[in-house]
Amino acid sequence: MKEQINSNNLPKHIAVIMDGNGRWAKQKGAARIFGHKNAIKAVREVTEGCAELGVDCLTLYAFSTENWARPKAEVSGLMSLLVATIKDELPTLQKNNISLHSIGDRSELPKETRAKLESAIQETSTNTGLKLILALNYSGKWDLTQATKAIADDVKAGTINPEDIDQSVIAGYLSTAGFHDPELLIRTSGEMRISNFLLWQMAYTEMFFTPVLWPDFRREHLFEAILAYQGRERRFGKISEQVNL
Ligand code: IPE
Ligand code: IPE
Ligand code: MG
């Protein structure tokens, strides 16, 4: 399948809602955290697949602002798993020339999770290959809110004029500033919703939904999603004849 991918029409930025870990575990009669533990392989496959193809940016939705509402044990299990995973995967990131980034409110993360995350971001900051962005304690509404506050602060401080606020100014205040908008969103587990992910940034993103549960997601599924993307006609409001000149 990889050979069928047109390298001149790759999405530069792929965003993934990694969903279905709990159901995967349940099918096996195991606790939900077993599903989260078995999600690491899928993360590695997709990350390496993107790096191999030459995708510029991969954003993984790992924990939403709403996920704090889950049972306490699951939340703390997920936070510890994050610490362990970042530590274990660091050599793979270095080997593949991948730089780590994060979006979301880091200030609310447990101390150790935050410390591990920030040191991995620091240690991989000079890598020039794939940019791996972890969305952690992230939500689209949080992002728009923090951007709005920051713009208001700058207006108050006199560093920007309200009449100068346009779409590119707003984009520059979002936590994704500097990264282009995703061309492709993949959501696993059969759910067909955005779940408060990149709201502004996905205004024109192509959506790919698959019933595959995240722990079962492999390179071939990534390639399948990219091929589906390459079969889409992206019109951006125009008509077919205009985009097929
Ligand atoms: C996705 O899997 C992982 C996170 C949201 C952290 P889920 O834990 O949502 O799994 P399901 O949707 O309950 O199967
Ligand atoms: C979305 O998955 C968040 C992440 C993948 C981190 P959820 O499983 O939390 O989404 P909903 O609540 O079912 O929409
Ligand atoms: Mg879910």
Side-chain angles (χ1 to χ4, degrees), residues 140-171:
K141 287 190 176 181
W142 166 81
D143 205 356
L144 287 161
T145 306
Q146 69 76 24
T148 305
K149 279 187 188 156
I151 292 170
D153 282 345
D154 285 351
V155 167
K156 205 160 82 181
T159 52
I160 52 167
N161 292 317
E163 51 277 19
D164 293 334
I165 300 170
D166 59 12
Q167 294 188 12
S168 75
V169 168
I170 295 173

Side-chain angles (χ1 to χ4, degrees), residues 69-163:
R70 292 190 177 196
K72 258 205 176 88
E74 180 169 349
V75 171
S76 62
L78 273 167
M79 290 299 152
S80 322
L81 188 63
L82 265 161
V83 173
T85 307
I86 293 169
K87 184 170 161 277
D88 293 350
E89 298 302 314
L90 197 54
T92 315
L93 297 183
Q94 302 291 30
K95 188 187 87 191
N96 291 295
N97 196 24
I98 298 168
S99 61
L100 187 68
H101 307 260
S102 86
I103 53 173
D105 188 356
R106 284 190 214 163
S107 72
E108 284 176 9
L109 294 174
K111 246 204 193 120
E112 211 197 344
T113 310
R114 184 177 178 180
K116 277 277 169 316
L117 176 69
E118 288 177 350
S119 78
I121 289 172
Q122 185 58 37
E123 284 174 54
T124 60
S125 63
T126 55
N127 290 345
T128 55
L130 177 73
K131 301 174 187 82
L132 175 62
I133 306 169
L134 283 187
L136 261 181
N137 193 20
Y138 182 85
S139 72
K141 287 190 176 181
W142 166 81
D143 205 356
L144 287 161
T145 306
Q146 69 76 24
T148 305
K149 279 187 188 156
I151 292 170
D153 282 345
D154 285 351
V155 167
K156 205 160 82 181
T159 52
I160 52 167
N161 292 317
E163 51 277 19

Side-chain angles (χ1 to χ4, degrees), residues 19-20 23 70 187:
D19 199 12
R23 278 163 282 168
R70 292 190 177 196
R187 183 171 189 151

Side-chain angles (χ1 to χ4, degrees), residues 21 24 32-41 77-78 81 215:
N21 300 352
W24 186 90
R32 295 180 56 86
I33 196 73
F34 183 68
H36 299 313
K37 284 182 180 151
N38 279 278
I40 314 298
K41 186 162 166 55
L78 273 167
L81 188 63

Side-chain angles (χ1 to χ4, degrees), residues 16-23 32 36 60-67 70 74 78 135-138 187-189 191-197:
V16 186
I17 302 178
M18 311 183 286
D19 199 12
N21 300 352
R23 278 163 282 168
R32 295 180 56 86
H36 299 313
L60 300 177
Y61 204 7
F63 196 87
S64 74
T65 56
E66 282 77 26
N67 288 146
R70 292 190 177 196
E74 180 169 349
L78 273 167
L136 261 181
N137 193 20
Y138 182 85
R187 183 171 189 151
T188 58
S189 88
E191 306 297 354
M192 297 187 196
R193 53 177 173 262
I194 304 296
S195 299
N196 209 353
F197 197 20

